[in-house]
Amino acid sequence: MSLYQATTNSHTWNFQGLRDLMAKATPLRSGDCLAGIASESAQQRVAAQMALADVPLKQFVDEAVVPYEEDEVTRLIIDSHDSSAFSPLSAFTVGDFRDWLLSEQADREMLQQVAPGLTPEMAAAVSKIMRVQDLILVAQKCEVVTRFRNTIGRKGCMSTRLQPNHPTDNPAGIAASVLDGLLYGNGDAVIGINPASDSPRAVLALLNMLDDVINHYEIPTQSCVLTHVSTQLQLMQQGAPLDLVFQSIAGTEKANDSFGVTLAMLGEARDAALQLNRGSEFESGMHGDNVMYFETGQGSALSANAHHGVDQQTCEARAYAVARAFKPLLVNTVVGFIGPEYLYNGKQIIRAGLEDHFCGKLLGLPMGCDICYTNHADADQDDMDMLLTQLAVAGVNFIMGVPGSDDIMLHYQSTSFHDALYVREVLGKRPAAEFEAWLQRMGIFSEAGKLKVGQELPPGFDRLLAKPW
């Protein structure tokens, strides 16, 4: 274990290894305080950031924050590291890396080239010495495009997950939310339901319903029911109409074990989904084969007592190494969902959301964000408007579309159907091209990409509410 030092005002601060240094350099958040690993003062934090800026990037390959022998996520990170992609950065310190990222040399093509050579710890480290504007500037240079039935992540686009949750999985209630969302131009990333019941029978009913809606209206999008991967494997074996495989993931093997998931299980699920061959063929000849949807969140490893003394933001970045291995269509950091024990207030939630988006994009992931907070956090919708706007400027691939911003099943506050319209109006963002063409064909959007106010219900949409699902 290396000793790292920095001197401020004639006081020398010592940090025992990268794990301690990274934790002490992290901007203040309640989760690290809860874990007892946060800096004791602002002065110590600045000293840690100074010391971290001088650490060579290659040190993150040589010194694991979670032991290689104990953790399959660490083994994945080290064993899959692309040394040739890392070569242009191999002489950099963390501080040099920040300067390079902010320079004109680090353009979209160069960032795509070096992404396989970056470890999550490198991304987390550089984010800790960056300002909010730095996180936004670099992230907006990154472009990560994925495909299934449409194309997500192109420059100038921002997609949405239509989230029609219902506390009893009532089909009529879900159908009403789906209709509402589609009429506001939401749902191009995915129509995704968090089910109230995890039973295979209940999940299958929801999958059949969504598949019927998508096929009947010929919507160029994909569906997902966010149940455990083992349930989805079982249903795929039975021939269920499953588009995307969902799973919550974390940055350590022990934390993933608390979710009941292993890397091998995720690989099995991806292979099964690919065999269903439900994606579309694109003009380029490429088949839509991004079949995974992952959700993450700062604090998940700590809440499972599985963080190994690593700060929650670095643990979160390590989850992105798991996601990257399975080429997902969507990765969603559910930033304020776990609660104020981990991100106490709006300031911490905003910073965390920008960090997560930056780190994920830097590592080559199609990052979205559930811009959200729980009702007992010191945050409100003004904070979410700030984060929404900042992430939209930073080029976030997708956000959530929840009826009225209030998820009545999960009992938390997120972003609404209207919030996507706000971003598209203010920043000129568009839905996925295939989905936008469908919206125009259905008379929901104009040729200029604007919502048609007061439009009549598109032909046949009454079926969505009238059918006895």
Side-chain angles (χ1 to χ4, degrees):
M1 180 184 296
S2 302
L3 176 68
Y4 300 94
Q5 292 184 329
T7 301
T8 60
N9 295 332
S10 302
H11 180 83
T12 298
W13 302 88
N14 296 316
F15 305 97
Q16 301 296 323
L18 276 179
R19 182 164 51 193
D20 181 45
L21 178 63
M22 296 270 278
K24 297 298 189 294
T26 305
L28 182 65
R29 59 207 56 193
S30 53
D32 293 336
C33 294
L34 179 66
I37 59 175
S39 55
E40 298 174 2
S41 65
Q43 187 177 17
Q44 187 184 35
R45 185 177 304 111
V46 169
Q49 291 170 343
M50 291 170 58
L52 182 60
D54 290 334
V55 174
L57 283 184
K58 60 185 178 182
Q59 185 68 18
F60 293 94
V61 180
D62 298 333
E63 184 180 343
V65 295
V66 180
Y68 182 93
E69 299 76 14
E70 299 176 15
D71 187 87
E72 69 172 355
V73 177
T74 299
R75 292 192 290 275
L76 172 67
I77 292 167
I78 299 302
D79 295 348
S80 63
H81 182 244
D82 187 332
S83 57
S84 61
F86 178 62
S87 179
L89 312 177
S90 60
F92 284 0
T93 64
V94 173
D96 294 333
F97 186 33
R98 173 188 175 273
D99 293 343
W100 180 80
L101 287 171
L102 295 172
S103 73
E104 293 182 0
Q105 288 179 287
D107 58 15
R108 179 179 62 180
E109 290 74 21
M110 192 64 188
L111 289 169
Q112 289 174 340
Q113 289 176 30
V114 301
L118 298 175
T119 70
E121 290 86 355
M122 293 176 192
V126 75
S127 75
K128 295 176 191 298
I129 63 168
M130 298 178 88
R131 296 170 58 182
V132 161
Q133 65 176 250
D134 298 341
L135 298 172
I136 293 172
L137 188 154
V138 176
Q140 65 83 31
K141 293 196 286 186
C142 300
E143 183 181 38
V144 182
V145 177
T146 53
R147 297 174 176 86
F148 191 74
R149 289 203 188 96
N150 56 23
T151 307
I152 298 170
R154 286 188 174 132
K155 284 286 187 182
C157 293
M158 188 192 76
S159 298
T160 59
R161 168 188 161 190
L162 203 171
Q163 185 170 307
N165 295 344
H166 193 279
T168 63
D169 289 340
N170 179 270
I174 292 172
S177 292
V178 170
L179 174 60
D180 192 22
L182 290 172
L183 291 176
Y184 280 104
N186 281 246
D188 51 334
V190 64
I191 303 175
I193 302 172
N194 295 91
S197 170
D198 199 40
S199 77
R201 181 178 178 181
V203 172
L204 179 59
L206 294 175
L207 285 171
N208 284 329
M209 175 187 178
L210 293 178
D211 188 58
D212 190 12
V213 170
I214 289 172
N215 286 329
H216 181 80
Y217 297 106
E218 300 180 336
I219 310 172
T221 191
Q222 36 282 328
S223 69
C224 186
V225 178
L226 284 68
T227 187
H228 193 269
V229 65
S230 59
T231 302
Q232 294 164 88
L233 272 167
Q234 177 183 340
L235 291 172
M236 282 189 284
Q237 292 165 0
Q238 298 171 4
L242 188 146
D243 290 340
L244 302 183
V245 174
F246 166 80
Q247 183 56 47
S248 293
I249 56 173
T252 70
E253 179 179 349
K254 188 177 178 182
N256 284 322
D257 185 60
S258 75
F259 291 147
V261 65
T262 64
L263 300 183
M265 188 183 297
L266 295 175
E268 181 185 357
R270 181 175 184 269
D271 290 343
L274 287 171
Q275 289 175 16
L276 296 178
N277 202 35
R278 293 177 60 84
S280 296
E281 190 79 23
F282 292 85
E283 292 180 2
S284 63
M286 179 181 296
H287 192 75
D289 62 354
N290 299 118
V291 297
M292 306 296 282
Y293 174 21
F294 294 119
E295 287 192 345
T296 66
Q298 288 194 29
S300 58
L302 175 57
S303 67
N305 194 27
H307 60 103
H308 297 269
V310 178
D311 68 272
Q312 66 181 39
Q313 191 251 333
T314 301
C315 281
E316 170 72 4
R318 284 169 55 91
Y320 303 154
V322 176
R324 183 168 62 174
F326 300 101
K327 300 179 180 179
L329 181 77
L330 309 165
V331 179
N332 176 30
T333 169
V334 192
V335 65
F337 183 75
I338 303 181
E341 299 88 349
Y342 307 97
L343 295 169
Y344 179 74
N345 57 19
K347 181 179 177 66
Q348 292 185 12
I349 292 171
I350 289 170
R351 172 81 194 189
L354 294 170
E355 289 169 348
D356 295 350
H357 179 252
F358 163 85
C359 288
K361 280 289 187 68
L362 199 59
L363 293 168
L365 286 176
M367 288 302 296
C369 185
D370 191 342
I371 301 161
C372 63
Y373 62 100
T374 56
N375 290 316
H376 61 310
D378 184 16
D380 57 28
Q381 213 64 35
D382 286 343
D383 296 314
M384 299 306 102
D385 283 349
M386 291 294 293
L387 180 53
L388 168 65
T389 305
Q390 290 168 334
L391 282 171
V393 173
V396 69
N397 278 31
F398 68 102
I399 62 168
M400 302 299 107
V402 176
S405 301
D406 183 8
D407 193 300
I408 59 174
M409 197 278 279
L410 293 174
H411 301 294
Y412 78 116
Q413 309 303 311
S414 185
T415 45
S416 72
F417 302 146
H418 305 75
D419 289 330
L421 293 177
Y422 150 72
V423 168
R424 289 167 178 167
E425 177 70 25
V426 171
L427 296 176
K429 299 285 186 177
R430 309 293 285 261
E434 303 89 344
F435 190 78
E436 183 177 42
W438 177 84
L439 291 170
Q440 292 168 344
R441 190 165 63 249
M442 298 299 290
I444 298 171
F445 271 24
S446 69
E447 291 300 319
K450 304 290 187 181
L451 181 72
K452 287 187 176 180
V453 179
Q455 80 272 28
E456 294 182 2
L457 201 65
F461 263 50
D462 53 343
R463 175 182 179 274
L464 192 57
L465 295 178
K467 181 173 179 178
W469 298 100

